[in-house]
Amino acid sequence: MPTMNEPVESDKLRRQEEGMHSVSARDTHVGQVTGVGGEKVSAIRDGNAILRFLVGLESRIDKLSAFEAMGIERVPDEQRRPPQRLNMLLFWFSVLLSPTLIPIGMLGPILGLSVNVSIVLTITATIVGSAVPAFTATLSPPTGLRQIAVARYSLGLWGAKLCSVLNVVVNIGYATIASIVGGQLLRAVSGGGLPLAVGIVVVVAVSFAVSFFGYAAIHHFERFAWLPASVLLCVLYGQASAHFSPTPGYDVGIGLDFSGACLTYFAVIFGVCCSWCPISGDYYIHYPASTSPWLVFGLTYAGIVLPTVFVGILGNYFGGIISSSEQLGAIYAEGGVGSLILAVMSPPTAWAKFACVLFVLSFREYPPGHIPLQLVVINVFVLTRYSTVGDVVCNIYSSALSMQLLGSHFVAVPRYAWCTVLSLATFGLAYGGRNVLETIINNLLSMLGYWTLAFAAILFVEHFWFRPRIGGYDLTAWQDPQRLPWGLAGTASLLIGIGFSFLGMDQTWYVGPVAKPIGVHGGDVGDELTVISVLLSYPLLRWFEIRHVGR
């Protein structure tokens, strides 16, 4: 196994004199940034009145115990305040036990697959895809670095910046989908009296509030949010069972058409699971460096697999419902997933009575401008416990960290300010795409898996093959371009992987030449081409880079 090297004492003193020592939480709190590039960041802040105000505001907010003022800085062992280890499981429960995965699971029957085949593919793709973020998560506790920052040891500074941009696109895409689904649910429980745009505002606003306070607040929120969500999802399972398709084994396509649909749906679910790998380690940086990698892997893997399969299969059944019931299909077409959920839970019987007590705490019996504040608060509470806030929170938070990895000018902007900007961007995209959710999912989610798979494959080869042979990770070099790899091998392999994915992708706007012959609508094999091309190219290019560059 590769080691996490610390320099000898004399080397430590030399590097401290050069300004390479680790950034402390307190330095960041008062707006001072140390380490490589620290003077430049401080100069940028001092020379801009807006940044000076933001940093001063950050210092005042830091007096709140739950606020995280640190950004992308490495967390040394002595500054770590680890949450409970079980949080590595419960965190993912809260993120994934939400209606967001229902429309994703519905794509199986929408593509012409039977409910039974969709369920098998959901389970298989989840089991395979979840191993990717579970592995990348193991890299953050030993290093104390955020996930994209760890990638600097294989992709270099500029390659990691490219990953940061792609990561922001991925995260904000997911946050957009989650915000739309949450808004649809709020509109549904209000009987249509609450505009979808207002529902989206509520989702984004609550998510922003949690992400604003940072690491500790997120872990506290996600530790408990899954409990009522799991109960209500069980209620939804029971109520929806009366509407399940009477022909769950019926497939629309046959032959190559069937194979193509299977490959495409598998790619969607695999992409959903795999796309967590650029952020999974962001929430583990405070765990001790001695934490067992197998414990991290196992808890993360179980935390992603169990809720994804649970909600994904429910989505498969919902896809069968709209395919077999014209009435419910029309409700879905008009009001989206939120209206469909409310429809299948009526009339309220058995377990559904409990859920409907929460659902009917809506706005519909009150004229505009006369909504009691108590009901607004209760609706927000229901939303945070049953909707999509947990998903949006982690996407906004990790996107803010990725923005800071883009360079000194981006680090100069405090993390909470980036959370604000990205929350506004999420609302804008969700508002603009609120009526085309299925198109967004079908086009976006498959594509997300391609680059994240290439990213994880590069980290895997670097960690298990190259790092043990070149002395492990020098943790004092994480922001030093003179000691980090150039990143030519990693960046080239990443681009090669993305390029090969275009040969095998199957999207509504583009079908690759390899995917096109697989059925009338094609079959997505972009993931397979991506991982093969990266596993072949990166070892060769990285060997050449180490041999001729030396790092």
Side-chain angles (χ1 to χ4, degrees):
M1 291 290 291
T3 58
M4 310 300 169
N5 292 337
E6 296 285 358
V8 296
E9 188 62 29
S10 60
D11 202 22
K12 282 185 179 179
L13 294 174
R14 177 180 62 82
R15 285 170 183 156
Q16 285 179 356
E17 293 173 356
E18 295 173 357
M20 291 183 179
H21 54 284
S22 298
V23 179
S24 72
R26 179 52 50 189
D27 285 340
T28 305
H29 291 174
V30 297
Q32 298 176 351
V33 180
T34 57
V36 174
E39 292 183 359
K40 182 177 180 181
V41 173
S42 297
I44 293 171
R45 288 178 169 178
D46 293 339
N48 187 292
I50 296 177
L51 291 179
R52 288 199 304 271
F53 170 78
L54 292 175
V55 172
L57 180 61
E58 180 183 51
S59 180
R60 290 191 292 272
I61 299 175
D62 180 42
K63 296 177 181 178
L64 300 172
S65 60
F67 184 75
E68 178 193 17
M70 290 187 70
I72 60 168
E73 298 82 15
R74 176 177 175 260
V75 183
D77 289 343
E78 64 274 11
Q79 294 179 12
R80 299 187 187 187
R81 297 175 177 84
Q84 292 186 4
R85 292 186 176 184
L86 194 59
N87 271 33
M88 288 186 275
L89 177 76
L90 302 181
F91 172 85
W92 297 105
F93 277 18
S94 293
V95 170
L96 296 170
L97 282 173
S98 81
T100 306
L101 289 172
I102 292 178
I104 297 172
M106 291 172 65
L107 286 177
I110 289 174
L111 291 171
L113 299 173
S114 69
V115 173
N116 291 344
V117 169
S118 299
I119 291 174
V120 171
L121 291 173
T122 297
I123 295 173
T124 306
T126 301
I127 288 174
V128 177
S130 298
V132 179
F135 154 69
T136 57
T138 64
L139 303 180
S140 287
T143 61
L145 293 171
R146 310 285 183 170
Q147 199 73 78
I148 299 294
V150 175
R152 289 179 170 181
Y153 288 91
S154 51
L155 290 130
L157 283 174
W158 287 99
K161 289 180 181 181
L162 173 61
C163 292
S164 294
V165 173
L166 294 172
N167 195 37
V168 171
V169 173
V170 169
N171 292 336
I172 298 305
Y174 269 117
T176 298
I177 293 170
S179 298
I180 295 173
V181 173
Q184 288 177 345
L185 185 59
L186 279 182
R187 182 179 64 176
V189 301
S190 71
L194 183 72
L196 177 56
V198 177
I200 293 172
V201 168
V202 174
V203 175
V204 175
V206 176
S207 303
F208 164 71
V210 179
S211 64
F212 178 90
F213 285 94
Y215 188 92
I218 291 173
H219 268 278
H220 180 76
F221 175 84
E222 306 288 11
R223 182 182 175 187
F224 300 104
W226 68 275
L227 285 167
S230 61
V231 172
L232 291 176
L233 283 169
C234 289
V235 171
L236 186 55
Y237 254 105
Q239 284 298 103
S241 62
H243 304 278
F244 286 171
S245 171
T247 56
Y250 175 72
D251 291 294
V252 175
I254 59 174
L256 281 179
D257 295 344
F258 172 77
S259 300
C262 287
L263 288 169
T264 299
Y265 179 66
F266 183 94
V268 170
I269 300 299
F270 181 89
V272 168
C273 299
C274 185
S275 61
W276 294 111
C277 72
I279 73 172
S280 58
D282 290 350
Y283 305 93
Y284 297 168
I285 57 169
H286 278 276
Y287 287 105
S290 59
T291 305
S292 169
W294 285 109
L295 178 67
V296 176
F297 180 91
L299 290 176
T300 305
Y301 184 74
I304 296 175
V305 168
L306 296 177
T308 301
V309 168
F310 184 71
V311 185
I313 290 176
L314 182 59
N316 298 150
Y317 281 119
F318 268 67
I321 288 173
I322 65 171
S323 300
S324 60
S325 172
E326 292 185 5
Q327 179 184 2
L328 293 176
I331 291 174
Y332 170 73
E334 181 180 352
V337 176
S339 295
L340 183 61
I341 289 174
L342 190 64
V344 301
M345 298 193 76
S346 299
T349 59
W351 274 98
K353 289 183 179 180
F354 171 72
C356 286
V357 167
L358 301 180
F359 287 154
V360 297
L361 294 173
S362 61
F363 305 102
R364 60 183 172 188
E365 295 182 0
Y366 298 88
H370 296 81
I371 303 172
L373 177 61
Q374 293 90 336
L375 291 190
V376 176
V377 173
I378 292 172
N379 272 275
V380 170
F381 173 80
V382 173
L383 175 70
T384 58
R385 290 300 183 259
Y386 179 54
S387 186
T388 54
V389 169
D391 195 348
V392 182
V393 164
C394 67
N395 284 312
I396 291 176
Y397 176 78
S398 289
S399 294
L401 298 174
S402 291
M403 292 298 298
Q404 288 192 321
L405 284 166
L406 292 177
S408 299
H409 288 82
F410 295 87
V411 177
V413 179
R415 177 198 57 79
Y416 78 92
W418 283 120
C419 287
T420 305
V421 172
L422 293 167
S423 295
L424 293 174
T426 299
F427 168 74
L429 292 170
Y431 180 81
R434 64 193 184 281
N435 297 319
V436 289
L437 177 60
E438 184 181 312
T439 302
I440 294 174
I441 293 173
N442 201 22
N443 287 334
L444 178 66
L445 295 188
S446 293
M447 295 179 61
L448 299 185
Y450 303 139
W451 92 265
T452 54
L453 182 58
F455 172 85
I458 291 170
L459 264 61
F460 181 86
V461 175
E462 179 72 24
H463 183 72
F464 287 108
W465 183 257
F466 289 105
R467 285 293 149 182
R469 288 163 174 77
I470 60 177
Y473 298 84
D474 181 356
L475 298 180
T476 64
W478 77 274
Q479 55 181 347
D480 185 356
Q482 301 302 318
R483 291 187 289 156
L484 286 171
W486 282 9
L488 298 177
T491 305
S493 297
L494 182 70
L495 296 176
I496 289 172
I498 294 174
F500 270 85
S501 73
F502 276 86
L503 298 177
M505 71 169 51
D506 179 20
Q507 306 293 328
T508 55
W509 55 273
Y510 173 77
V511 180
V514 179
K516 189 175 295 183
I518 310 175
V520 64
H521 299 296
D524 198 306
V525 291
D527 290 324
E528 292 82 351
L529 295 180
T530 298
V531 70
I532 292 172
S533 62
V534 171
L535 292 179
L536 289 177
S537 62
Y538 183 68
L540 295 175
L541 294 175
R542 184 71 171 118
W543 174 84
F544 184 84
E545 182 179 44
I546 293 174
R547 181 179 179 86
H548 292 277
V549 179
R551 48 190 166 96

